[in-house]
């Protein structure tokens, strides 16, 4: 979170500055209503990646809530571009389409948190607060999806180990003694 200097030279923790990048005006209004309750300071709300990339480097929010499916560019590409410009930025992916590959690509792009739409005010605040508190979050709405990814990876690893024990690696023909 941002800090600011008080008159005594000490720093005081300020409300987090947050921006939303989502083409759904209702979702942007949802996050504005949470900000209006005093939970964080909403400093930007954008319906496209182009707008976000134009304004966020100057605004330098603490955190961006990033939709993955934007009209002009994927949220994953926008995440990568923003993090190249603002490496300290925290990004929470918000999506209504939690396919395993999409969530994994979001994590690989640098997202620190995940929030599955539709979400409650509690879900949103938990995700935002946990990113600041712990440096990353798998919000309770995203946990089942991410666990499924980890289980698939574990099973893939077990399959590779079994193939390796049998001397059969993908792309390597079986030896004559295999059968």
């Amino acid at each position: 979170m941002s800090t600011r200097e008080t008159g005594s030279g000490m720093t005081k923790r300020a409300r987090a500055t947050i921006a939303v990048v989502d083409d759904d005006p209702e979702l942007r209004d949802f996050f504005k209503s949470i900000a209006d309750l005093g939970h964080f300071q909403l400093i930007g709300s954008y319906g496209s990646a182009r707008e976000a990339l134009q304004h966020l480097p100057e605004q330098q929010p603490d955190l961006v809530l990033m939709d993955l499916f934007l009209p002009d560019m994927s949220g994953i590409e926008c995440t990568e571009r923003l993090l190249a410009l603002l490496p300290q930025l925290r990004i929470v992916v918000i999506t209504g389409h939690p396919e395993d590959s999409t969530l994994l690509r979001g994590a690989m792009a640098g997202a620190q948190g995940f929030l599955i739409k539709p979400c409650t005010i509690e879900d949103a605040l938990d995700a935002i607060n946990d990113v600041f508190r712990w440096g990353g979050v798998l919000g309770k709405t995203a946990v089942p999806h991410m666990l499924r990814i980890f289980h698939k990876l574990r099973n893939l690893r077990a399959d590779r180990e079994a193939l390796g024990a049998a001397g059969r690696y993908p792309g390597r023909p079986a030896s004559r003694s295999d059968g």
Side-chain angles (χ1 to χ4, degrees):
M1 264 190 249
S2 299
T3 57
R4 62 177 177 248
E5 195 167 312
T6 64
S8 65
M10 298 183 66
T11 58
K12 178 180 177 183
R13 190 168 286 242
R15 286 186 303 159
T17 56
I18 293 180
V20 178
V21 182
D22 197 300
D23 59 330
D24 180 355
E26 289 181 20
L27 191 72
R28 293 194 310 268
D29 288 345
F30 169 75
F31 286 108
K32 182 183 180 316
S33 69
I34 298 173
D36 289 346
L37 296 172
H39 293 286
F40 53 82
Q41 181 183 358
L42 186 65
I43 62 170
S45 183
Y46 305 103
S48 72
R50 180 187 50 75
E51 290 175 309
L53 290 165
Q54 180 180 351
H55 297 286
L56 293 178
E58 183 179 316
Q59 292 175 326
Q60 297 196 12
D62 296 314
L63 183 140
V64 170
L65 297 161
M66 175 71 67
D67 186 21
L68 288 182
F69 297 98
L70 298 166
D72 56 345
M73 170 188 312
S74 78
I76 291 169
E77 184 178 349
C78 189
T79 293
E80 290 171 336
R81 288 185 183 193
L82 282 172
L83 289 173
L85 297 169
L86 302 167
Q88 76 287 357
L89 181 63
R90 296 168 182 95
I91 296 182
V92 173
V93 163
I94 50 178
T95 184
H97 307 281
E99 287 83 22
D100 297 350
S101 63
T102 304
L103 293 175
L104 188 58
R105 288 186 5 241
M108 292 173 67
Q112 290 89 2
F114 300 89
L115 190 57
I116 307 301
K117 298 186 273 189
C119 64
T120 65
I121 290 173
E122 179 185 4
D123 293 337
L125 289 174
D126 285 348
I128 291 166
N129 290 328
D130 286 350
V131 165
F132 288 114
R133 190 176 302 123
W134 309 112
V137 64
L138 287 178
K140 64 184 175 186
T141 59
V143 168
H145 303 285
M146 295 304 281
L147 286 175
R148 189 171 56 245
I149 292 171
F150 294 133
H151 292 160
K152 284 181 180 179
L153 291 172
R154 184 191 66 214
N155 292 339
L156 180 62
R157 181 178 171 201
D159 290 347
R160 284 191 61 139
E161 288 173 357
L163 287 172
R168 296 184 189 130
Y169 293 98
R172 179 179 158 209
S175 67
R176 292 180 191 238
S177 64
D178 288 342

